[in-house]
Amino acid sequence: MADNDSDQERTQPATPKRREDARKKGQVAKSHEVASVAILLACITYFNFDSTRLVKNLMDNLSGFLRSSGTLLINTNNIQSLAVKWVYEFFILIAPLLLTVLIAAFLANFVQVGFFFSADALAPRFSKIDPVKGFKRLFSLKSFAELIKNIMKLSIVGYVAYFTVKGEVDGLPSLMDRSIGEITAYMGVISFKIILRTSWVLVVLAVLDYVYQRWEHEKGLKMSRQEIKDEFRQTEGDPLIKARIRRIQRDMARKRMMAKVPKADVVITNPDHIAVALEYDQMKMFAPVVVAKGAGFLAERIRELARQNNVPVIENKPLAQVLYKMVKVEEAIPENLYKAVAEVLAYVYGLKEKRIAV
């Protein structure tokens, strides 16, 4: 009983078929932290190079709207067109940022799982809204691990942010003598420092999370020995059934072969252990063809059928051995055997002519 239990333990690496089935279902090693960090870094990079243009255009649009607000006539006839215009202008303004985020998210997922689409993962599952299963998932070990991971992430990021702000405390009193614009610029620099430093921390956490997700994914794919056997039977078929099919195929091939013995021109024997039946039709064949061959009991059966159907049985030990080893059933004899086989056929044709003459 203990052996059976140990056999059921999932200790074996996943087979290629199991990996492919899991991939089709959308079960891949992927970390959401990697995508989040990629988007954050992409936004930081974008703002670093294009924030001036973005802020300027936003201020110009806001100024234009405020200047025209006193003279702009808004009624039920133009409210829709104005709303569409404002939304369109805002979308055009932030389109580069949205495109940057989209490319970053795509590359982050592509690096992790490659080009991948699973319709099965998009299919609705009522089990996901089952309150009992949802309650179990809420208090599962995986949820507890995710909670610990998020607490650690927030703690580390919070500490980095606190450390950055603490280093700028000495410069805060000097802001009292500065203009609003200078204060805003200073706060922007501090905010950028906080975001940049926390980003590098998040990069490290994302890499660790990806390693953990990959380990957990591989652990979930592991199989027991029985599962590997069942999969082999499903893909390759039951060995017993396959052996029976091969046996039936051999029997059918043997019956077809034996049915051609009565039509053969000659059977060459060893004399007792090997028998090879040859057929030659000058109008259809460019060389004699082996229509049947066998050893032991099968050779005895070929000789018996030949005698029952008046097919000449010729004893030629060397030729019989060469034909049995070199030529397959339904194949023509090779050129190096033409002369030897021609002599046998000439002898057989001579016997037939004598019988006819008599």
Side-chain angles (χ1 to χ4, degrees):
M1 190 71 179
D3 293 339
N4 292 336
D5 291 338
S6 61
D7 288 342
Q8 296 304 317
E9 293 179 359
R10 294 185 174 182
T11 57
Q12 305 301 315
T15 61
K17 181 179 181 303
R18 186 177 181 89
R19 294 181 184 277
E20 184 65 24
D21 292 342
R23 188 176 178 86
K24 290 179 180 179
K25 295 177 181 178
Q27 299 173 3
V28 292
K30 184 177 69 171
S31 171
H32 297 289
E33 301 295 334
V34 173
S36 300
V37 170
I39 293 173
L40 179 60
L41 293 177
C43 290
I44 292 174
T45 304
Y46 174 81
F47 283 121
N48 184 55
F49 290 101
D50 199 43
S51 58
T52 303
R53 184 199 65 86
L54 182 61
V55 173
K56 181 179 180 301
N57 289 340
L58 282 173
M59 296 300 294
D60 291 342
N61 289 348
L62 181 59
S63 299
F65 174 75
L66 293 176
R67 283 195 301 268
S68 61
S69 61
T71 59
L72 185 63
L73 179 62
I74 301 177
N75 51 46
T76 56
N77 296 326
N78 64 358
I79 183 64
Q80 183 176 357
S81 60
L82 288 174
V84 172
K85 177 185 176 183
W86 293 332
V87 171
Y88 175 76
E89 291 177 352
F90 180 74
F91 177 79
I92 294 298
L93 188 62
I94 66 170
L97 175 61
L98 297 178
L99 182 61
T100 302
V101 171
L102 181 64
I103 293 175
F106 174 79
L107 290 178
N109 287 279
F110 181 80
V111 169
Q112 294 184 85
V113 300
F115 186 77
F116 169 68
F117 176 78
S118 175
D120 187 74
L122 299 176
R125 291 185 176 86
F126 294 102
S127 59
K128 292 183 177 180
I129 60 176
D130 188 345
V132 177
K133 293 183 178 179
F135 185 80
K136 291 181 179 179
R137 286 195 298 267
L138 184 62
F139 293 95
S140 64
L141 182 62
K142 184 177 181 180
S143 298
F144 180 74
E146 288 292 327
L147 177 63
I148 297 299
K149 182 183 70 176
N150 290 328
I151 292 176
M152 290 178 61
K153 182 173 67 174
L154 289 175
S155 300
I156 295 173
V157 171
Y159 176 78
V160 172
Y162 170 76
F163 180 79
T164 304
V165 173
K166 184 179 179 181
E168 301 292 336
V169 170
D170 295 337
L172 294 179
S174 62
L175 295 178
M176 298 186 337
D177 299 328
R178 297 186 182 183
S179 64
I180 296 177
E182 290 176 335
I183 295 175
T184 304
Y186 179 80
M187 297 302 294
V189 171
I190 300 301
S191 300
F192 186 78
K193 284 184 179 180
I194 294 174
I195 295 174
L196 188 61
R197 290 179 180 178
T198 54
S199 296
W200 291 117
V201 175
L202 291 175
V203 168
V204 176
L205 294 177
V207 172
L208 295 177
D209 183 66
Y210 176 74
V211 173
Y212 169 76
Q213 294 296 336
R214 192 165 188 83
W215 173 80
E216 189 178 55
H217 177 70
E218 291 295 329
K219 181 181 177 182
L221 288 180
K222 283 187 176 181
M223 306 171 66
S224 64
R225 294 195 180 109
Q226 185 61 42
E227 287 176 330
I228 294 177
K229 292 179 181 179
D230 293 341
E231 181 186 288
F232 177 80
R233 289 178 179 176
Q234 292 175 359
T235 55
E236 301 295 333
D238 193 324
L240 296 177
I241 296 177
K242 291 181 66 177
R244 183 182 179 188
I245 292 175
R246 286 195 296 268
R247 185 169 62 252
I248 293 174
Q249 291 174 340
R250 286 196 299 269
D251 292 342
M252 294 176 64
R254 187 176 301 166
K255 288 179 180 179
R256 290 194 300 268
M257 181 183 73
M258 299 302 289
K260 294 181 180 180
V261 173
K263 301 178 182 179
D265 291 302
V266 64
V267 172
I268 303 174
T269 64
N270 192 20
D272 297 327
H273 302 295
I274 295 175
V276 180
L278 297 175
E279 182 183 5
Y280 181 54
D281 187 341
Q282 296 180 357
M283 304 300 294
K284 299 179 180 179
M285 303 175 184
F286 66 90
V289 175
V290 175
V291 294
K293 69 176 183 178
F297 173 78
L298 192 58
E300 182 181 348
R301 180 60 180 158
I302 290 174
R303 292 195 300 270
E304 182 181 347
L305 282 175
R307 294 190 182 99
Q308 291 176 358
N309 292 274
N310 297 321
V311 177
V313 178
I314 305 299
E315 179 181 335
N316 189 326
K317 184 176 180 179
L319 182 58
Q321 290 178 342
V322 172
L323 288 172
Y324 183 81
K325 292 180 180 179
M326 293 182 57
V327 188
K328 296 180 180 180
V329 178
E330 304 292 345
E331 284 187 356
I333 64 172
E335 293 184 4
N336 59 336
L337 296 179
Y338 280 179
K339 183 177 180 181
V341 174
E343 292 176 354
V344 174
L345 289 177
Y347 175 74
V348 170
Y349 292 153
L351 290 178
K352 288 183 178 180
E353 290 178 357
K354 290 181 180 180
R355 291 176 184 175
I356 294 174
V358 174

